Structures are given as structure tokens and as C-alpha cells.
Amino acid sequence: MDLTLDHITHRYGGMAVLDDIVLDIPAGEILCVIGPSGCGKSTLLRMIGGLEQPDAGRVLQRGPVPEDCLNPLTYVFQDFALLPWRTVAGNVSLVLEDHGLPRARSAQIIADVLARTRLTDFHDALPRQLSGGMKQRVAIARALAVNPAVLLLDEPLSALDSQTRELLMEDLVALWARQPFTGVYVTHNLAEAVRLGHRIAVLSRRPGRLRDVVEIDIPLPERRAGMPELEALQTRLWDLMKEEAMAADQELLHV
Ligand SMILES: Nc1ncnc2c1ncn2[C@@H]1O[C@H](COP(=O)(O)OP(=O)(O)OP(=O)(O)O)[C@@H](O)[C@H]1O
Ligand SMILES: [Mg+2]
């Protein structure tokens, strides 16, 4: 499914948060969104997911959703959002319960997404028995269980240590390579952005405006940590971000 962000503008009370964001996200592409703290990244993601309506502009969805899609857009959040009293399989089944599927079909979907996220052996484990990386894989399995057209990820790896982050980036690339989904991936981490984004949208300080869109033409499965091309891109992104962050600090000084 293609997404179009058509002149998205939003305010919270007197505070302008997003200013005239225009972007196309073609089906099967991952767009990473970076920008200084508080510039409106999570707000933009909530608008794409339809959890909130912009004051002006709209989000358009076009094109077919996958076969057996139960929910066209799903989220993965930084804090995993698992129910502690439910097993791994029970947490995944949460998103299937409203769809009236036959038991055998639900069990099959759960087995499939747990296999894809390397959690088959943890079907009956409780969240407290899992590491942070495994918990986030459960959240990813839960998001995939509805066979979404679009995955919306809000800093999904920022609560994890660097090794776990690296492994999960490889998992996300493998999942995408197996079945390319449309993704919007919000992050503060420039290394994640250059590993996972077909394009990277750089937002300005608040109110978030589209400062730049950087395209990366290296196929996702060929990217590795430390590749010189990716490091150079990271430096370029950091220069853009630094300008915005420093300008935001100057504004605070003059408040
Ligand atoms: N529901 C709300 N009501 C009022 N203000 C809000 C609401 N949600 C967010 N804000 C404010 O809007 C601004 C943008 O918030 P948002 O969470 O979208 O930023 P962000 O770019 O995701 O920040 P971070 O990088 O810290 O996650 C912030 O100043 C925030 O305090
Ligand atoms: Mg945020």
C-alpha cells in the first residue's frame, strides 16, 4: 500500500508541531524519520496510523493490501507494550481475538509469526522470562500477525543495548526481504536510519518541517554496520541534525 502525506500541519493548543509535511511512501519502501527531540515525529506517526487527525492536510492510502490482511496498519513501540500475565503466544493472539478466526487458523498464524521472529521455543514463556530483545521480537511478531500492509515503528530499538539492536536490525531486514512491507520507522539513531531506510526524512526542529529527504540506493540486505558509504551518509545526516539541534538550543536561550 502506498501512503501519501498531503500537506500535514498540526498544532497542540498554541504550539505548532508539524508544518506542511508532504511525502510519498511507495509500497514496499521503508521511510526512516529523524529529527530533534520534540519536533513531532511520534505525532506524525500517530497521524499516519489514524490515531490522531491533523488540523490540516491528510494521509492518503492507495493500492492493495496483502491477502489475509486483518489490519492494514500496525505499530511497534519502544516499550514493547506486552501484557505481563499473558504468554508470548497469548500476547500475539491479542490482535487476532476480534477477528473471529477459527482456532486452528489463529494457532497457525501464531506459529508462523513466532517462527519468523525466532521465538518458536518461547511460545508459552511469560514476558518476564524474556530478554529485552526477545520482548521486542514478540511485539514485532504481534504486529506481523495481522499481515499488515504498513508497519509503523516508533523508536523500536532504543530501549535495547547495542548488540541486541544490531541483531534486531538484521531480523527486520530479513523480515522485509521475505515479504517487503511499507514501513515508517522513527528513530534518533542515525546508524539505524541508514541501515533500514530506503529513504530518510529529516525533520527540522519544532514545528517539524521537512528539511531534507536522503535516498540510499544500497539494497537493504547488502548493508552492514560500518560500511564506508553508510558512515558517510551518517555524517551528512548528523550535520543536518546538529544544525537543527543547535538552533533549537539557541531558541531556548532566548525564551
Ligand atoms: N497529546 C498531546 N497534547 C499536547 N502536546 C503534545 C501531545 N503529544 C505531543 N505533544 C507535544 O508535541 C511536541 C511533539 O511531540 P512528539 O512526541 O511528536 O515529538 P517527537 O519528535 O516524537 O519527540 P521525541 O524525539 O522526544 O520522541 C512535543 O512538544 C510534545 O510535548
Ligand atoms: Mg517520539
Side-chain angles (χ1 to χ4, degrees):
M1 191 164 84
D2 301 314
L3 296 172
T4 298
L5 313 187
D6 181 23
H7 298 279
I8 305 282
T9 294
H10 196 65
R11 309 178 69 85
Y12 285 119
M15 183 174 69
V17 176
L18 290 167
D19 185 12
D20 200 32
I21 305 284
V22 179
L23 258 177
D24 277 315
I25 309 164
E29 239 193 59
I30 300 178
L31 175 82
C32 287
V33 180
I34 62 172
S37 266
C39 76
K41 302 179 295 295
S42 298
T43 303
L44 186 65
L45 205 65
R46 286 198 299 275
M47 285 171 179
I48 297 172
L51 297 180
E52 243 180 290
Q53 293 303 313
D55 288 342
R58 55 200 175 146
V59 178
L60 303 170
Q61 305 175 355
R62 246 184 267 111
V65 297
E67 216 179 307
D68 299 332
C69 172
L70 297 172
N71 199 347
L73 299 105
T74 51
Y75 280 95
V76 178
F77 296 105
Q78 175 179 350
D79 63 359
F80 322 136
L82 302 180
L83 294 179
W85 58 88
R86 283 211 176 201
T87 63
V88 165
N91 268 284
V92 175
S93 77
L94 264 181
V95 297
L96 301 174
E97 283 167 5
D98 288 341
H99 295 283
L101 301 173
R103 265 180 102 87
R105 176 75 188 125
S106 291
Q108 185 190 17
I109 292 173
I110 292 168
D112 174 52
V113 293
L114 292 185
R116 282 159 66 189
T117 49
R118 302 185 288 113
L119 287 166
T120 302
D121 293 345
F122 298 89
H123 186 281
D124 299 319
L126 288 166
R128 67 178 152 78
Q129 298 172 298
L130 307 178
S131 68
M134 291 160 83
K135 284 182 199 163
Q136 193 54 302
R137 285 185 353 241
V138 177
I140 293 168
R142 183 179 55 194
L144 294 175
V146 294
N147 207 12
V150 179
L151 215 48
L152 303 170
L153 304 115
D154 198 350
E155 303 199 42
L157 307 188
S158 35
L160 305 172
D161 63 82
S162 60
Q163 274 172 26
T164 308
R165 271 206 304 269
E166 184 61 35
L167 289 170
L168 267 163
M169 277 193 272
E170 287 180 10
D171 283 338
L172 284 169
V173 170
L175 288 166
W176 179 87
R178 181 188 146 135
Q179 187 180 339
F181 50 83
T182 313
V184 186
Y185 188 106
V186 169
T187 182
H188 275 111
N189 185 307
L190 303 182
E192 286 171 32
V194 299
R195 277 292 286 289
L196 296 171
H198 292 94
R199 286 183 307 153
I200 301 169
V202 184
L203 297 189
S204 70
R205 64 193 182 275
R206 194 176 62 230
R209 299 187 180 98
L210 197 56
R211 176 78 212 266
D212 207 346
V213 179
V214 175
E215 212 164 316
I216 311 181
D217 53 15
I218 307 169
L220 293 191
E222 289 173 22
R223 299 185 195 177
R224 295 286 173 274
M227 278 174 96
E229 302 94 312
L230 297 185
E231 301 251 310
L233 268 169
Q234 233 175 289
T235 308
R236 184 171 145 206
L237 292 170
W238 173 236
D239 287 342
L240 283 169
M241 293 278 288
K242 201 162 56 178
E243 271 175 41
E244 289 302 328
M246 283 163 64
D249 282 351
Q250 286 303 316
E251 276 169 15
L252 282 177
L253 273 178
H254 294 110
V255 163

